[in-house]
Structure formats: structure tokens, C-alpha cells
Amino acid sequence: MSAPAELERLLGIMARLRDPLQGCPWDLQQDFASIAPYTIEEAYEVADAIDRGDLDDLCDELGDLLLQVVFHAQMASEQGAFGFADVARAISDKMQRRHPHVFAQVQVDGAEDVNSNWEAIKRAERAAKGDADTSALAGISRGLPEWQRAVKLQSRAARVGFDWPGPAPVLDKVREELDEVAAEFARGPVQDNQARLEEELGDLLFVCANLARHAKVDVGAALRHANHKFERRFRAMEAQAAAAGASMAGLDLEAQERLWEQAKAAEAKP
């Protein structure tokens, strides 16, 4: 079947699931707020499939993500707010409007010009909507994961010159913030100093995000790879423990550390 036919089929399935008389009880209970976490989760699963280079899984995950768009559009349609066609028209209009070098007669000289035009058009769009915020930080969504928002805030500030000249001073700042975190831990029991620890740890994480930006490393990808590495090694530890007739919970920390080092060494072998 063609793409339009398959899309019509999907829209019909979603409408049936939300039918008040013949629909699915679970789907009927949902609203925008309850579905939002699934939307975020599906976006991350798309990123994971890309990271693994699994194109078959990517096709499946993109379908799951598309379903989220269809779900939200169906609920909005039921309220008389907008429908899927409105969503598609809005993004099509936006993409044409923000690519005048493709769909109009604007001349650009490389990707930097494209980015500059994109931001200028976004500012004009916000102004047309009556948004009076003229800050360099305007328009950065508060709904982003905080690590991603941190990088966007830093990148926007850098555009007007508020940035470290390179990674070396950022590394110095990381050490400074780490020392401040250590000082807060030294004050006494953590339960008595939660507010200060949260503040100092937040500063440390913010600077680490800045360091990743200077390294041109995507923070989300870096964390995802670190998570995968930890999971891989921990599962190897569990397997080693089971092979020895033990369980992880039954081993003391010293024995667990030995298993961790074995798992690391096994990965290092050619």
C-alpha cells in the first residue's frame, strides 16, 4: 500500500481505539498528560535503534513514535482543537518558511548561514505571536530533558560571546565545582545538607555539560553509551557469579569489585 493509504489506515485505527462505544478502555482513559511520557520514551527508543545501527528496529520504533503523534492529534480532534491534517500542515508550512534558501530566492553560504537564518526566522515567528522576550535565551523549551536544556542555554549564550575560549578553563571549572561538592559532603550527614548538595551537584553537572559541548560530544549519546557499558559489564558480573554458584547479592563489595575488573579485562581482550 502507498504511504497515504497506510497513514489513513493508522488514523482509522486510532479513531476506533478512541471510540466511546467500541474503543479500547485503556486508550479511552488517556489524555495528553498521561500519553506525554510514552511520547518521550518512544523518541529515546528511536535514538537507541539509531545508536545500535538496527534499521529493522528503527522502522518499528519510528512507527511507535508516529503513533504518539496520531494519538495526540486524535485527542485534540475530539476536543475540536486540531486534527492530524493541521499538524502536518503546520510542520510543512514551518519547514518551507524556515528554508527560504530552498523554497524561495534567499542565497546562503553554507550551514552556518542556514543556522543563522533559522534562528532569525524563529525570532520573527515569536514576535509575530506577541512574544516580547528578546533574550538570546528566548524560546528554549522548559520541557526538554535538563541536560539538553543546559547545552542549549550554553550554546545560545556562546552566540553572543559569553563562553569559555576552549576546554582547558572548563576543565578547571569542573575541578573547582568538584571541590565544592566534596566540601559539602564533608559538612556532615547528607540528609542534613540536601539543599546545598543539590545546588553544588547541579553546578557540577552543568559544567560537565559545557565540557561535552566544547568537546562536540552529544551529552545524551555519551550518557547512553556509559549506561550501555555499565549494563553490559554488570550482566557479565552476574553471569560470572552464577557460574561460580553464587549471586551478586551474596557477595561482599570486594568480591564484586573483582568481578567488575574481570568484566573490564574481558572487554579489553582483542
Side-chain angles (χ1 to χ4, degrees):
M1 294 177 68
S2 66
E6 289 293 356
L7 182 55
E8 283 298 325
R9 179 181 172 218
L10 177 58
L11 292 169
I13 290 171
M14 192 71 252
R16 176 64 183 274
L17 291 172
R18 291 280 298 181
D19 184 274
L21 298 179
Q22 297 180 313
C24 169
W26 185 89
D27 289 278
L28 287 166
Q29 287 180 350
Q30 307 311 309
D31 57 23
F32 296 118
S34 67
I35 289 298
Y38 296 102
T39 307
I40 295 168
E41 180 181 343
E42 296 300 349
Y44 277 109
E45 291 185 359
V46 166
D48 178 60
I50 293 171
D51 192 53
R52 290 183 283 106
D54 189 335
L55 293 183
D56 289 336
D57 200 26
L58 177 58
C59 179
D60 189 55
E61 296 300 345
L62 285 170
D64 291 344
L65 184 57
L66 176 59
L67 176 64
Q68 299 301 306
V69 178
V70 169
F71 206 143
H72 285 288
Q74 174 63 33
M75 291 187 291
S77 177
E78 293 164 5
Q79 298 179 19
F82 58 82
F84 183 84
D86 300 298
V87 173
R89 182 173 58 254
I91 189 58
S92 294
D93 290 347
K94 182 186 295 184
M95 294 303 288
Q96 288 184 321
R97 188 169 63 247
R98 293 187 181 179
H99 290 82
H101 53 289
V102 176
F103 299 104
Q105 303 302 316
V106 174
Q107 298 296 314
V108 295
D109 183 19
E112 285 300 318
D113 274 4
V114 172
N115 288 334
S116 296
N117 285 347
W118 182 279
E119 291 300 326
I121 293 167
K122 284 176 64 177
R123 287 194 297 271
E125 290 171 352
R126 289 196 297 270
K129 291 180 180 179
D131 187 345
D133 188 354
T134 59
S135 169
L137 307 180
I140 299 177
S141 172
R142 293 185 179 274
L144 292 171
E146 294 301 336
W147 62 263
Q148 189 174 2
R149 190 161 187 270
V151 173
K152 282 187 173 289
L153 289 167
Q154 294 159 3
S155 297
R156 289 284 191 86
R159 289 178 189 170
V160 295
F162 189 68
D163 194 13
W164 299 104
V170 188
L171 280 167
D172 290 340
K173 190 65 176 176
V174 169
R175 298 184 186 99
E176 177 187 327
E177 296 295 348
L178 186 58
D179 287 343
E180 292 181 7
V181 169
E184 292 303 329
F185 273 109
R187 288 179 183 272
V190 295
Q191 61 267 26
D192 297 335
N193 196 26
Q194 285 288 290
R196 287 291 300 163
L197 280 168
E198 179 182 296
E199 181 177 349
E200 296 300 344
L201 283 166
D203 290 346
L204 175 61
L205 292 169
F206 189 83
V207 176
C208 285
N210 209 342
L211 183 62
R213 184 177 63 85
H214 275 271
K216 301 188 184 307
V217 168
D218 180 85
V219 181
L223 283 172
R224 187 162 59 250
H225 294 160
N227 287 339
H228 288 168
K229 180 165 59 178
F230 177 84
E231 181 179 10
R232 184 175 65 246
R233 291 177 179 175
F234 189 85
R235 287 180 180 274
M237 292 166 63
E238 290 178 316
Q240 292 172 34
S247 69
M248 286 290 290
L251 299 175
D252 60 23
L253 183 58
E254 184 177 351
Q256 291 179 346
E257 283 286 350
R258 286 197 296 270
L259 291 178
W260 177 264
E261 292 302 324
Q262 291 171 22
K264 285 178 61 178
E267 288 187 353
K269 292 179 181 178

